[in-house]
Amino acid sequence: MGKLGRFVPEGRRRDRVPPTAGPPEPGPEARHRSAVRRVLSSLRPRTVATQVFLLQLGVVLLLIATAVVALLIQDRNRAIQEAGDRSLVAAESFANAPGTAAAMKSDDPTAALQPHAEALRMKTGVDYVVALSPYGFRWTHPDPDQIGKHVSTSYGEALEGEPHQTTFDSSLGKAVDSTVAVFDANGVAVGLVTVGVTVDKVTSVVEHQLPVILAAGGVALLLAAGGSALVSRRLRRQTGGLGPVEMTRMYEHHDAVLHAVREGVIILDGDGRLQLVNDEARRLLALPPEAEGMAVTGLGLSPALAGLLGSGRAVTDKVFLAGGTLLAVNVRPVGPKGGCVATLRDTTELRALAGRAEVAGGRLQLIYEASTRIGTTLDVKRTAEELTEVAVPRFADFATIELLEPVLHGGEPTGASMEMCRVAAAGIRDDAPLDPVGTRMDYVPGNPVALGMTTGRPILVEHLAMTDAWRAQDPELTQRVIEFGIHSMISVPLQARGQLLGVVEFWRSEQDPFEPDDLSPAEELTARAAVCIDNARRYTREHITAVTLQRSLLPGVFPELSALEVGHRYLPARAGVGGDWYDVIPLPGARVALVVGDVVGHGLHAAATMGRLRTAVHNFAALDLPPDELLAHLDDLITRIDQDATTEGSTEAITGATCLYAVYDPVSGRCVLARAGHPGPALVSPDGSVTFPDIPVSPPLGVGGGLPVETAELRLAADSRLVLYTDGLVEARGRDIDTGLGMLREALARTDGTTPDDTCRAVLDAMLRTRPSDDVALLVARTRLLDPEQVGEWEVPHDPAAVSRIRNETTRKLEAWGLGDATFTTELILSELVTNAIRYGASPISLRLLRDRDSLICEVSDGTSTSPHLRRAATTDEGGRGLFLVAQLSRRWGTRYTDRGKIIWAEQALDAGAAGDLSDLLMADL
């Protein structure tokens, strides 16, 4: 039953087997390989910290192994050295012991040496101590059976006195043998001693140092493990908790996306260095393989693109041309440290449009540069040169400019003549066969240049070689121009305010021929230059007018003076004509007035103001006013002129005028000076010493407000030099007045013995290395004193009877001077003047005669300030003809006032025939 109950038919057993689904299960071998792979994968380090730890572990183990090997080698070498030293010491001790040499020479050396040798061997721990005869037979040996046997080893070196040492491999290991000779009292070798020691008997130090090495290695492993743990923790924090697998997967995904996109991607850090670049960006920018890590400015990009990427500022679709590719660039700053991400998109389809935009931008840039670089000066030629410098080489390879002759001199172009002069030329080469600067140009009718001047329109000649009208101007020269390579030209007339000023030619040889589109920029360049040239022309005209006016207002050649020898210089400033001036005015009594003034500003107004002041000074000097009164009147005059200008609404008032006025008397050497806001003079004594006298200073003219002017009096010796100047001589930009006065002192100190004119030249050479920024007026006067023999003085009593005596003394003085011909006229003049002083004046009365070059001066002074007036007497009048006679007989006459009264003077000419026949004059009034 039981057996039958357990029996199951075959078919039914197959029906009960569950059906299989999916792949078949792996076999045992496959399962074994999978398990091995899982074990190996679990053993492979997964984190950076583990990899670093394993690397450090390997390095530490390598260092430990290296240290142990080095220690073993070192210990072995030390043991061999120590074994050799021990055997040598033992051998030399036994050989040099007392009685060793005698025992070897005895009848039985073995009996005498064997006990001592064995005792030494036991005591020192060596392997053997053997005594040998000089012929190599053993006298001693640890094995008695070896005594008496011969040793075949050569000991010649030892017998000569040098210890012999040998290292060999014995049955007990490596051993060291040391052999020394034994010498008797006569120095004869009587035997040998050889001692051997095995190296293993030397104490090893490896077992002492090996624990230390292993302990140090263990500490290093602990430190490496701790450092790896810290690195792992830091990496976990920086990666946001992502593990190596996640980081690897993320990097692979990002890298695949980065290199798959068709836009260039660049990542830069805060210092502008390239951190990452994809394949598309590398292709678009033609970056080198080692671009990562380089600064963006060192990648060979255009300065504009490199500057944009390095700036880190946000930009959207900024277009740049990189090589032959037009790029649209987008930049976005990222990160707290100032990095940025840039994307680049190829927009080459816009290249044609970009090319046209670039040409237009270049032309706009050219026009902009022309507006800033042309017209920086008010010089006609320089302005023309600036136009050629702007045009070459950006617009043309060569540029030439011709101007009409009147324009060069500031005149208005009349159109009467079309002859021009080439004033500027520039080019990429200096050997071009074009007419040089300075050539007179007169274009024939039909020439393209003449046609442009006639029509007022620019003319384009695309092919010069095919233009007969241009070649007809000068066939030989034009042929050389064509052979040189110049192939096209644009001619543009220079016009301003509807007037033709000249013409500009632009030439090309290396660049492509001119096109019709080039006419517009050429015309724009020329129009801007024409305005600047016209302004310079008008300034030149004004400047020439101002120079002419100033030269006419400044004094010319000064007359010969008995009182002074004068030298003078005037240097206009770089800005043009100014208001500095000087003058030398002869005064009665052989005296001379020296004047130096300065009007602030430049141009026509300053020159005209200077002329008005100089005329006013002459008028006031004619009244023989003292310096303080003259400056006071001049101050009042300028104040009234300014008031009149204000009333009329004019803005050109006289402001900032200064003046120094000095009067020198050659009879006494007295010089009286006064100044209004002007630098004081320098005085060079006859011995060469230079001083700056202290002259009281008053406010500048026109701003004094009625304040009194103070004077100073100097006594000048003969041959002194009085130096008057304006502030432009001693003041300059970057140099204060004290420094300038010091330089002036040094310059004058080196001019001892020179003439005033040479002094002026030396001072200007020392003080002004370049053209001054302000006007400079310089006046140097060398003083003279009249010889006392040329002066006659008499005191006149207040008595009409004294007139005859004075007349007689005067006659004798004139005869002594050899002026007898002038006696009659002089008697008439002084009789009238002395009589008037006695009759109408007050004491003291004095008479002074001065002989000065070609004149004789008669001066009568008295104590009153009443001035006589010339009038014409009627026929019935008994008097009133005295001053009329004085005026007719004198060259000039007048009155000047002093502190104590007045002086009436009359000056006669001493040239032949000056007196003339007086009979007709006297009869005419009778």
Side-chain angles (χ1 to χ4, degrees), residues 377-424:
T377 67
L378 289 173
D379 182 82
V380 173
K381 291 185 178 180
R382 180 56 192 156
T383 304
E385 292 171 355
E386 289 172 344
L387 171 58
T388 61
E389 293 170 359
V390 170
V392 177
R394 294 188 57 180
F395 182 72
D397 296 323
F398 300 91
T400 55
I401 299 178
E402 295 89 45
L403 296 178
L404 294 173
E405 288 291 339
V407 176
L408 293 175
H409 307 292
E412 292 284 347
T414 60
S417 173
M418 300 301 290
E419 183 177 356
M420 295 182 293
C421 176
R422 179 158 291 176
V423 297

Side-chain angles (χ1 to χ4, degrees), residues 613-655:
L613 292 181
R614 181 169 177 256
T615 302
V617 170
H618 267 272
N619 293 334
F620 291 135
L623 299 177
D624 213 344
L625 298 177
D628 53 343
E629 294 185 21
L630 185 142
L631 291 183
H633 286 293
L634 200 61
D635 181 71
D636 293 339
L637 174 63
I638 293 179
T639 301
R640 289 196 302 271
I641 293 175
D642 287 345
Q643 292 174 352
D644 294 340
T646 303
T647 303
E648 296 174 0
S650 174
T651 59
E652 294 186 345
I654 304 174
T655 58

Side-chain angles (χ1 to χ4, degrees), residues 127-297:
D127 291 315
Y128 59 85
V129 177
V130 178
L132 302 174
S133 68
Y135 305 103
F137 293 95
R138 295 188 182 96
W139 283 334
T140 65
H141 197 275
D143 185 5
D145 295 338
Q146 300 295 327
I147 296 176
K149 293 183 178 181
H150 185 268
V151 179
S152 60
T153 304
S154 174
Y155 300 104
E157 183 179 353
L159 292 174
E160 292 178 359
E162 293 293 333
H164 179 72
Q165 223 172 35
T166 304
T167 302
F168 60 94
D169 295 325
S170 65
S171 60
L172 300 178
K174 186 173 290 293
V176 179
D177 179 88
S178 298
T179 302
V180 297
V182 180
F183 297 93
D184 59 6
N186 297 325
V188 178
V190 297
L192 299 167
V193 176
T194 177
V195 178
V197 180
T198 56
V199 176
D200 294 339
K201 289 189 176 182
V202 179
T203 302
S204 175
V205 297
V206 174
E207 60 269 16
H208 301 295
Q209 297 181 355
L210 188 59
V212 177
I213 296 175
L214 295 177
V219 173
L221 289 176
L222 291 177
L223 293 177
S228 300
L230 292 176
V231 170
S232 178
R233 183 178 178 183
R234 181 61 179 251
L235 289 176
R236 280 282 183 178
R237 186 182 300 114
Q238 292 182 348
T239 57
L242 298 177
V245 176
E246 293 83 357
M247 291 294 297
T248 301
R249 185 181 299 111
M250 182 183 296
Y251 171 77
E252 291 174 350
H253 292 170
H254 290 181
D255 187 66
V257 172
L258 182 67
H259 292 284
V261 298
R262 297 308 300 168
E263 284 193 358
V265 179
I266 292 178
I267 300 178
L268 299 100
D269 60 11
D271 297 329
R273 293 188 175 277
L274 192 63
Q275 298 298 309
L276 186 130
V277 56
N278 69 345
D279 297 339
E280 183 68 7
R282 196 183 300 274
R283 181 187 68 83
L284 293 175
L285 299 179
L287 298 179
E290 64 280 2
E292 286 81 353
M294 297 176 59
V296 69
T297 55

Side-chain angles (χ1 to χ4, degrees), residues 338-356:
C340 67
V341 176
T343 61
L344 305 99
R345 186 172 67 257
D346 187 357
T347 57
T348 309
E349 63 275 6
L350 301 177
R351 181 178 302 176
L353 178 61
R356 290 193 294 269

Side-chain angles (χ1 to χ4, degrees), residues 463-686:
H463 304 287
L464 290 174
M466 302 172 61
T467 306
D468 295 335
W470 174 75
R471 297 170 63 104
Q473 177 74 28
D474 188 341
E476 182 179 352
L477 178 61
T478 54
Q479 183 62 33
R480 292 202 306 269
V481 171
I482 294 173
E483 292 175 354
F484 181 79
I486 297 177
H487 49 70
S488 63
M489 180 264 288
I490 291 179
S491 174
V492 186
L494 272 166
Q495 299 180 97
R497 297 181 295 109
Q499 294 182 323
L500 179 67
L501 305 178
V503 65
V504 181
E505 298 96 3
F506 301 102
W507 314 81
R508 280 186 179 178
S509 60
E510 304 293 336
Q511 303 182 44
D512 295 336
F514 285 114
E515 300 176 350
D517 290 342
D518 294 318
L519 289 174
S520 177
E523 193 171 10
E524 182 70 20
L525 278 176
T526 305
R528 292 180 179 270
V531 173
C532 297
I533 290 176
D534 188 56
N535 291 337
R537 177 194 64 81
R538 298 170 68 181
Y539 170 79
T540 301
R541 180 181 60 187
E542 180 182 345
H543 179 72
I544 293 175
T545 303
V547 169
T548 304
L549 174 62
Q550 186 187 41
R551 295 303 181 189
S552 65
L553 295 176
L554 284 175
V557 179
F558 291 128
E560 292 290 335
L561 301 172
S562 300
L564 298 171
E565 180 185 0
V566 179
H568 53 90
R569 289 290 189 279
Y570 173 76
L571 269 69
R574 289 192 299 265
V577 176
D580 289 14
W581 56 284
Y582 58 87
D583 211 339
V584 178
I585 306 173
L587 297 178
R591 296 171 304 127
V592 178
L594 303 174
V595 192
V596 173
D598 184 5
V599 176
V600 176
H602 299 88
L604 282 174
H605 178 65
T609 301
M610 177 269 291
R612 297 170 72 179
L613 292 181
R614 181 169 177 256
T615 302
V617 170
H618 267 272
N619 293 334
F620 291 135
L623 299 177
D624 213 344
L625 298 177
D628 53 343
E629 294 185 21
L630 185 142
L631 291 183
H633 286 293
L634 200 61
D635 181 71
D636 293 339
L637 174 63
I638 293 179
T639 301
R640 289 196 302 271
I641 293 175
D642 287 345
Q643 292 174 352
D644 294 340
T646 303
T647 303
E648 296 174 0
S650 174
T651 59
E652 294 186 345
I654 304 174
T655 58
T658 65
C659 184
L660 186 149
Y661 188 83
V663 176
Y664 173 68
D665 186 357
V667 178
S668 61
R670 177 173 172 263
C671 183
V672 181
L673 304 95
R675 59 181 177 136
H678 200 85
L683 178 62
V684 184
S685 301

